[in-house]
Amino acid sequence: MAKGTNDAQLLIQSLRKAYASTPTSLKIIDLYVVYAVATALIQVAYMAMVGSFPFNSFLSGVLSCVGTAVLAVCLRIQVNKDNKEFKDLPPERAFADFVLCNLVLHLVIMNFLG
Amino acid sequence: MATSKVEGSSSLRHAFGGVLSVFILFLIGVVAFSIRLFSVIKYESVIHEFDPYFNYRVTQFLSKNGIYDFWNWFDDRTWYPLGRVIGGTVYPGLTLTAGTMWKLANSLNIPLSVETVCVFTAPIFSAFAAWATYLLTKEVKGPGAGITAAAILAMVPSYISRSVAGSYDNEAVAIFALIFTFYLYIKTLNTGSLFYATLNSLAYFYMVCSWGGYTFIINLIPMHVLLCIVTGRYSSRLYIAYAPLVVLGTLLAALVPVVGFNAVMTSEHFGSFLVFIIIHVVALVYYIKGILTPRLFKVATTLVLTVGIAVCAVVVAILVALVASSPTKGWSGRSLSLLDPTYASKYIPIIASVSEHQPPTWPSYFMDINVLAFLVPAGIVACFLPLSDASSFAVLYLVTSVYFSGVMVRLMLVLAPAACIMSGIALSEAFGVLTRSMKFHITKYFECSHTEAPAKLGESTSTESSAPLENMTKSDTTEKPEVARKEKVARRKQKKEKELTENAHVKPVSAKKERRPLVLPLEASIVSVFLLIVLGGLYVLHCVWAAAEAYSAPSIVLTSHSHDGLHVFDDFREAYAWLRHNTEVDDKVASWWDYGYQTTAMANRTVIVDNNTWNNTHIATVGTAMSSPEKAAWEIFNSLDVKYVLVVFGGLVGYPSDDINKFLWMVRIGGGVFPHIKEADYLKDGQYRVDAQATHTMLNCLMYKLSYYRFVETDGKGFDRVRRYEIGKKHFKLTHFEEVFTTHHWMVRIYKLKPQKNRIRGKSRKSKLGSKSTSSKSGGMTHKNPWN
């Protein structure tokens, strides 16, 4: 048991160390993802409290948070310099795709919000 | 100098190849369009079958009243007295597409009527589908396979059967949407571009708008993602291809009113959510694996597994309890009948009764996809060398569609594009190998005949092939000092050169790799090429024959060839026109549900039940009425405000799809809701017959009487040409109905409900069936009021 907690501590330390070495731009994207997921969780908790009556509004709210999180993760994948598959993709193109996809997502959200 | 000449000639070849492929694709589109025009030439430009008439009516409404009224349309001329919410129960893709095309044409001052646009929507979209197949197969294997697959799809009979000119049904645009969505998914998978992922979601939205079969996509793509993960082919491109599609796709699917919240609540979509969670877990695992040392990673996995499994078990238990609490386990009836083929026959007789929902017979495979049936296994083998994400998707698509086509003959349509892709790949690979062998032998022959060229046979091909390779390296060195953009251009040119040389059926890389090229003997390859061309020719012949003879019948107009020429049976339209001109606008017409759409569209009268078959009890009521004796039937129809009853009768001319042949289904469906209708009452010794040996119930039911009323007057004996015997009850009168119209060939017969008698003289005999309601007893020595 002690070995288990020791291992867990070691694990968390090494994770923290490895993560600290990622560039700042990627950390900003990660922060954005965490914020989006947190907003989604808050919405789910709110729905659990007050009920889901305009279900389409709930759905569009949660899915918009999840959607932007997913798109931010895709952006991070494409912009990450350690990723060999996207070596020749200029980051401006990746960001432009990200903006376009977000535009479509939010257009749909606005329509579905009711 | 030599390199620039080689460059020039190869770029010329590339340009020529490009122009040639565009021209070939254009011709493929023309073929796809024109092969579907047989019915327009043989009959007329008319809408076929039953369902298209409903779509046509909706499109008419859309073109007349605009989109907002269409979206909010409540139709009170069908399913009387319930009505139908059209905006919420129809898949709007087809009607919106045709409406847009009509609006566009009219705004350009091309005066096409709505009917013309509707009739020709399917051929136009089949040309698009052929081009989409080219794009999809190009992503899977290469442009040569793409062109072959497109050519095959343009003509495959299974697709023709549901997309002839006049067959204005959902599949006309849905198959194009299906192939296009798959193409965009594969393109996203191959390139990893978020732009294509957005387009993929939009194409999926178009698919959801068009057809209920969109559940196939939203289950096939997660299956493929799972397959890639399990076989170790996870990559970040997979994540980009799948995750945005799930979120955006679910939202877009929920936008369509027919689907609505089913997009998140039915079991058909749960697969996509499950795989969504799985792919996130896998992505996280790969990420952590990347930043940790292997030992620590092992520690992490043990820790996570112990905690994770406990949590997972709890979640799964909750989910299973939720799903199991609903009687259908969350699946809709139609989906369940696909997964369990015996489900429909046990629980939902309406789904079981539709002929399109029966399993196909073996000959129908050969009829519908012909030569492709044995090219497909070759294609599967070709997909495995080499195996890529895209080719694994193609194999998975084929396998699942083969299974579903085995369940329901209507789903042969989904098998058609998969079979065409596989056969295109197979044929293209076969031609590649054969022509490479031929070219190899021919160059070897020429090398040997010119003895001044001492080059060895292997080297001759390698020098040919190394020339473009040298060209590549030379271009690299010369362009190094230039901008990186130019390098990208050169790389793209290299890729195009490679594709071009593949197009010319020479594989330089593989020839360079193997010192002993894998070639077949010259005679064998020449004969094989010739035989493959003959095979293709036979396929084309079969497709044209199938399109012309088998699948071009509009089924609203029938023809038959007799010794004195061509007979045209236009009875259906005759009957609907009679209804339209000789009845009041608000009169209700009752018939079996097959004819509902046609009646509302052409006769413009309110019907009781139609092909939408959403309300089983209502259909069962009509079925019970058709199976009951006259008085009971009159009561039922009177309670529904029915004025006219329409039956289809084929006994005079031998039309086999008439109501007497469908009658047992009426009994079964009616008996499913009203237990006093028992199928055994209508069968004599388990056999269904209407001759003198038939049961009393059969000979007295409404369907028999309405079909055979006065039939004996035609030939004196009452010989039914469909059933091939004389009918049982020949001379009888109708007491509660009167015949108002019978068409020229007796195919449609219309009866009117007789109004209730005003006065009942004396005691009314309620107990005796089929008797007049007035009593002949004179002198009212009864306790009833003599004035009534």
Side-chain angles (χ1 to χ4, degrees):
Chain A
M1 214 41 219
K3 186 170 185 292
T5 47
N6 218 0
D7 270 340
Q9 277 180 353
L10 198 60
L11 191 66
I12 293 176
Q13 271 179 5
S14 61
L15 268 176
R16 202 174 294 169
K17 221 185 328 174
Y19 186 66
S21 61
T22 55
T24 326
S25 55
L26 293 185
K27 279 199 201 158
I28 292 178
I29 298 181
D30 290 341
L31 200 61
Y32 179 65
V33 172
V34 168
Y35 158 70
V37 173
T39 315
L41 288 174
I42 293 176
Q43 289 188 7
V44 171
Y46 179 70
M47 190 256 327
M49 280 198 294
V50 292
S52 70
F53 164 55
F55 191 60
N56 54 322
S57 316
F58 164 67
L59 212 58
S60 72
V62 170
L63 282 178
S64 111
C65 294
V66 173
T68 52
V70 163
L71 291 177
V73 172
C74 292
L75 177 68
R76 187 190 199 278
I77 291 174
Q78 289 184 329
V79 164
N80 196 357
K81 292 199 194 30
D82 300 331
N83 221 335
K84 285 179 288 296
E85 277 171 359
F86 294 100
K87 215 169 9 133
D88 30 326
L89 185 71
E92 289 81 13
R93 168 72 198 265
F95 187 68
D97 286 342
F98 169 73
V99 167
L100 174 72
C101 210
N102 260 316
L103 263 175
V104 172
L105 175 71
H106 285 94
L107 189 68
V108 175
I109 296 287
M110 281 293 134
N111 194 6
F112 197 49
L113 207 50
Chain B
M1 270 296 95
T3 54
S4 66
K5 200 170 81 178
V6 170
E7 243 185 73
S9 73
S10 66
S11 71
L12 188 66
R13 255 163 63 189
H14 158 65
F16 179 66
V19 169
L20 194 63
S21 6
V22 167
F23 184 60
I24 293 176
L25 281 176
F26 172 70
L27 283 182
I28 288 176
V30 169
V31 164
F33 183 83
S34 12
I35 202 176
R36 288 162 167 82
L37 295 183
F38 276 105
S39 59
V40 173
I41 297 172
K42 283 167 71 169
Y43 300 89
E44 60 183 283
S45 163
V46 74
I47 309 251
H48 297 190
E49 301 263 322
F50 303 110
D51 280 1
Y53 272 100
F54 171 68
N55 296 322
Y56 170 55
R57 181 164 162 256
V58 175
T59 317
Q60 268 183 318
F61 185 87
L62 172 68
S63 60
K64 222 178 301 185
N65 301 41
I67 188 159
Y68 285 106
D69 282 344
F70 162 75
W71 222 240
N72 297 322
W73 188 16
F74 178 79
D75 188 20
D76 56 349
R77 294 188 72 78
T78 177
W79 292 94
Y80 186 82
L82 304 165
R84 179 185 171 182
V85 181
I86 299 277
T89 57
V90 79
Y91 280 100
L94 175 70
T95 48
L96 287 177
T97 310
T100 314
M101 288 202 296
W102 174 83
K103 191 126 191 250
L104 194 66
N106 273 40
S107 67
L108 294 173
N109 274 331
I110 307 173
L112 292 177
S113 73
V114 179
E115 182 176 14
T116 315
V117 173
C118 290
V119 164
F120 288 101
T121 300
I124 292 176
F125 272 84
S126 58
F128 294 162
W131 294 336
T133 313
Y134 162 72
L135 290 170
L136 175 57
T137 320
K138 188 164 82 122
E139 288 299 313
V140 174
K141 209 61 173 170
I147 292 188
T148 324
I152 294 177
L153 183 90
M155 295 188 282
V156 65
S158 150
Y159 184 31
I160 291 183
S161 70
R162 305 285 307 190
S163 67
V164 281
S167 174
Y168 181 57
D169 207 354
N170 287 340
E171 289 93 348
V173 294
I175 296 295
F176 160 68
L178 182 87
I179 304 177
F180 197 57
T181 310
F182 284 154
Y183 157 65
L184 286 171
Y185 170 66
I186 297 293
K187 183 96 184 166
T188 319
L189 196 56
N190 281 347
T191 58
S193 151
L194 200 56
F195 171 64
Y196 281 109
T198 319
L199 288 181
N200 187 19
S201 313
L202 290 175
Y204 172 66
F205 173 52
Y206 184 54
M207 179 72 193
V208 173
C209 281
S210 310
W211 197 29
Y214 75 91
T215 49
F216 181 63
I217 295 188
I218 202 63
N219 283 307
L220 182 65
I221 291 185
M223 262 206 282
H224 176 245
V225 169
L226 210 55
L227 181 75
C228 282
I229 291 177
V230 162
T231 53
R233 292 182 148 272
Y234 172 78
S235 63
S236 40
R237 289 173 289 119
L238 190 69
Y239 181 84
I240 295 180
Y242 183 64
L245 172 69
V246 170
V247 179
L248 212 52
T250 309
L251 265 172
L252 286 166
L255 268 185
V256 181
V258 178
V259 177
F261 298 146
N262 287 347
V264 292
M265 301 222 285
T266 51
S267 301
E268 280 126 356
H269 289 90
F270 281 169
S272 58
F273 299 143
L274 189 67
V275 177
F276 185 64
I277 297 177
I278 290 180
I279 202 177
H280 275 97
V281 169
V282 171
L284 199 63
V285 163
Y286 270 88
Y287 174 65
I288 293 190
K289 194 173 186 179
I291 59 175
L292 282 184
T293 64
R295 184 190 72 90
L296 277 172
F297 181 64
K298 241 181 279 213
V299 168
T301 43
T302 47
L303 194 69
V304 165
L305 276 179
T306 44
V307 171
I309 284 186
V311 171
C312 257
V314 170
V315 168
V316 165
I318 295 178
L319 200 66
V320 163
L322 257 174
V323 167
S325 61
S326 86
T328 57
K329 317 272 180 285
W331 292 86
S332 77
R334 287 193 184 202
S335 310
L336 265 177
S337 69
L338 280 182
L339 294 176
D340 173 17
T342 57
Y343 176 82
S345 50
K346 276 186 277 180
Y347 297 105
I348 318 176
I350 287 188
I351 295 184
S353 72
V354 180
S355 66
E356 300 178 313
H357 293 177
Q358 306 306 319
T361 55
W362 280 112
S364 68
Y365 273 98
F366 195 69
M367 168 75 164
D368 272 351
I369 56 175
N370 208 30
V371 158
L372 312 183
F374 40 87
L375 281 178
V376 158
I380 297 181
V381 172
C383 273
F384 276 97
L385 353 135
L387 186 67
S388 67
D389 294 340
S391 54
S392 70
F393 177 77
V395 172
L396 187 68
Y397 174 29
L398 179 88
V399 168
T400 44
S401 54
V402 164
Y403 168 70
F404 285 124
S405 73
V407 174
M408 227 190 236
V409 79
R410 183 179 182 182
L411 294 179
M412 294 267 313
L413 182 63
V414 179
L415 172 63
C420 292
I421 295 172
M422 283 298 166
S423 328
I425 293 176
L427 270 181
S428 160
E429 295 292 307
F431 267 112
V433 170
L434 293 172
T435 49
R436 184 179 55 187
S437 324
M438 280 177 18
K439 184 157 185 168
F440 169 72
H441 282 288
I442 288 176
T443 49
K444 169 178 152 197
Y445 173 72
F446 277 122
E447 293 294 324
C448 288
S449 64
H450 302 112
T451 45
E452 54 260 36
K456 230 169 44 176
L457 30 86
E459 271 169 10
S460 67
T461 46
S462 64
T463 46
E464 252 182 68
S465 57
S466 56
L469 281 173
E470 274 173 20
N471 173 36
M472 289 180 216
T473 48
K474 276 247 167 68
S475 56
D476 265 346
T477 48
T478 47
E479 290 165 17
K480 239 198 176 81
E482 303 189 11
V483 191
R485 200 163 252 286
K486 272 271 183 102
E487 195 181 47
K488 237 174 280 169
V489 170
R491 205 167 298 144
R492 231 180 284 139
K493 205 158 83 150
Q494 287 175 28
K495 252 192 265 177
K496 280 186 190 152
E497 273 182 305
K498 219 202 253 185
E499 280 178 350
L500 170 66
T501 45
E502 264 178 11
N503 251 343
H505 305 300
V506 173
K507 291 194 170 58
V509 180
S510 55
K512 193 179 195 314
K513 260 198 267 196
E514 50 219 38
R515 274 287 124 178
R516 274 183 308 120
L518 298 170
V519 292
L520 303 166
L522 181 66
E523 306 79 21
S525 22
I526 291 183
V527 169
S528 311
V529 169
F530 175 69
L531 284 179
L532 276 181
I533 294 179
V534 167
L535 191 76
L538 286 177
Y539 171 70
V540 173
L541 233 78
H542 171 86
C543 293
V544 175
W545 170 84
E549 297 300 322
Y551 291 134
S552 288
S555 81
I556 190 149
V557 178
L558 308 159
T559 59
S560 81
H561 294 268
S562 62
H563 55 94
D564 47 329
L566 188 71
H567 273 279
V568 175
F569 298 91
D570 210 359
D571 287 41
F572 287 101
R573 294 196 287 180
E574 188 185 342
Y576 297 131
W578 184 93
L579 270 179
R580 195 187 189 113
H581 292 120
N582 293 294
T583 59
E584 303 292 318
V585 175
D586 281 330
D587 283 345
K588 327 283 185 266
V589 179
S591 68
W592 192 232
W593 59 260
D594 292 15
Y595 315 108
Y597 280 156
Q598 285 182 342
T599 314
T600 33
M602 282 195 272
N604 197 25
R605 293 289 173 267
T606 311
V607 290
I608 306 295
V609 287
D610 68 14
N611 308 53
N612 192 27
T613 66
W614 65 271
N615 191 332
N616 194 31
T617 314
H618 221 49
I619 298 181
T621 313
V622 174
T624 310
M626 294 295 190
S627 325
S628 312
E630 258 191 272
K631 185 151 173 27
W634 188 94
E635 302 278 334
I636 296 178
F637 280 141
N638 198 33
S639 74
L640 288 170
D641 289 347
V642 171
K643 202 72 171 303
Y644 294 92
V645 179
L646 185 151
V647 295
V648 170
F649 170 63
L652 184 65
V653 291
Y655 174 62
S657 319
D658 64 352
D659 281 357
I660 289 284
N661 272 359
K662 295 179 194 164
F663 180 61
L664 269 187
W665 284 109
M666 299 188 201
V667 171
R668 284 178 195 139
I669 295 174
V673 180
F674 298 95
H676 66 268
I677 305 285
K678 293 188 255 299
E679 188 180 344
D681 289 343
Y682 297 84
L683 305 171
K684 181 78 176 215
D685 302 327
Q687 243 199 347
Y688 176 57
R689 45 201 321 166
V690 291
D691 57 5
Q693 316 291 329
T695 58
H696 178 78
T697 332
M698 181 71 220
L699 291 177
N700 275 313
C701 71
L702 186 71
M703 180 52 68
Y704 178 91
K705 288 202 168 165
L706 295 187
S707 295
Y708 291 116
Y709 179 60
R710 292 192 312 116
F711 183 53
V712 70
E713 294 170 17
T714 56
D715 61 349
K717 285 188 307 235
F719 183 76
D720 185 335
R721 290 224 176 101
V722 178
R723 266 61 63 178
R724 301 197 164 275
Y725 42 66
E726 293 182 9
I727 57 177
K729 198 151 127 173
K730 300 188 189 180
H731 303 272
F732 56 88
K733 286 204 188 326
L734 291 175
T735 54
H736 289 72
F737 294 85
E738 61 175 318
E739 181 185 5
V740 285
F741 186 66
T742 299
T743 57
H744 185 227
H745 299 101
W746 286 56
M747 273 171 59
V748 183
R749 312 194 66 182
I750 306 179
Y751 295 84
K752 188 171 177 175
L753 262 73
K754 274 194 193 164
Q756 223 169 10
K757 286 220 189 296
N758 269 332
R759 284 172 39 170
I760 303 173
R761 287 213 217 106
K763 196 161 83 169
S764 60
R765 291 192 214 163
K766 288 196 215 118
S767 52
K768 212 167 184 187
L769 292 169
S771 60
K772 292 204 173 35
S773 33
T774 54
S775 164
S776 51
K777 207 175 185 178
S778 54
M781 291 304 290
T782 63
H783 58 276
K784 280 225 160 109
N785 190 341
W787 292 107
N788 282 354

